[in-house]
Amino acid sequence: MTEFVSVLSRLAGYLSLAWLIGGAAFLLLSRPTVDPILCAWRDRGNRSFLWAVSICFLATIMGLVAQTAASVDLPFGQMIGEVEWLKSFAFHTRYGRVALLKLSLLPILLVPALLLVKAKFPRSEGAGAALVLVLATIVAAAGPLAGHTAGEELAPWLLPFHIMHAVAVSAWIGGLPAWIALVLTVGPSANAERCGYTAAALNRFSRLATIC
């Protein structure tokens, strides 16, 4: 049970962060529009960021509990009530301190995510997407600090490359659902303007994916 929760929480946390990074990047690359069909697609993406932040927050908590249970060899269900063990693991291990850092940053991500949902003008939407991208990148960059690379002798040299790799892969994977959703949205009601918008967004994302 503990191993299952640990794997599930890592997967949920990684995918939600990837969506925050890649989805926000794709939103910035696709640029604002007044087309009602395309605006509906952008609105759905904006609302999904709130879910992604919430999922990542819960996944981080569950991962912390699962790692604590594994370290003290207790069942996951029993670990939830062991506050002292959780506190000790959180404050005295590298994994725990990184988890606390992420948990302190994720609520801040809710602010630009809410701004995106409430945005009425292109400038405010762009600012919200940019803030989501920056803050999610910072949270994702904290992840490798809890890994094996951070504890190695060559960590000062290896860790920056590991962080860049993690962020780049997140941007690439996270952007895929956004352009798939865009293509599926435009398909049934395609016209020249919407097809041009989609092609331009895909070209910009392709250049980003090539860099990543």
Side-chain angles (χ1 to χ4, degrees):
M1 178 64 177
T2 300
E3 291 183 2
F4 174 76
V5 174
S6 179
V7 172
L8 184 63
S9 62
R10 284 174 183 268
L11 182 62
Y14 174 74
L15 291 178
S16 57
L17 264 181
W19 168 244
L20 287 166
I21 296 172
F26 195 92
L27 196 67
L28 288 169
L29 292 170
S30 60
R31 297 178 184 177
T33 177
V34 295
D35 185 284
I37 298 296
L38 296 174
C39 284
W41 164 75
R42 294 179 71 88
D43 289 341
R44 286 193 296 270
N46 291 341
R47 289 193 297 270
S48 72
F49 291 137
L50 288 173
W51 286 101
V53 174
S54 302
I55 291 171
C56 191
F57 188 85
L58 291 174
T60 304
I61 292 176
M62 298 302 288
L64 179 60
V65 175
Q67 288 296 318
T68 306
S71 68
V72 298
D73 198 24
L74 285 176
F76 178 81
Q78 183 179 341
M79 196 67 249
I80 296 177
E82 299 290 340
V83 178
E84 291 303 320
W85 279 114
L86 287 169
K87 187 186 299 184
S88 177
F89 185 84
F91 286 100
H92 297 98
T93 65
R94 186 170 64 246
Y95 183 97
R97 288 191 292 268
V98 171
L100 291 178
L101 174 62
K102 293 171 70 175
L103 289 173
S104 66
L105 291 173
L106 284 168
I108 303 174
L109 251 173
L110 286 173
V111 177
L114 285 170
L115 176 62
L116 273 174
V117 174
K118 302 293 184 180
K120 300 297 183 183
F121 302 102
R123 183 171 295 181
S124 58
E125 185 184 40
L131 285 172
V132 167
L133 176 59
V134 170
L135 290 173
T137 299
I138 293 173
V139 175
L145 296 176
H148 296 294
T149 306
E152 294 179 359
E153 185 176 347
L154 297 177
W157 298 97
L158 296 177
L159 197 56
F161 293 102
H162 191 52
I163 290 174
M164 287 189 292
H165 174 70
V167 172
V169 172
S170 296
W172 187 80
I173 293 177
L176 292 179
W179 74 256
I180 291 173
L182 175 59
V183 171
L184 293 176
T185 300
V186 170
S189 56
N191 58 30
E193 180 182 352
R194 291 168 187 164
C195 288
Y197 179 94
T198 303
L202 294 182
N203 285 335
R204 295 188 195 103
F205 179 71
S206 295
R207 288 196 290 270
L208 174 65
T210 300
I211 296 173
C212 292

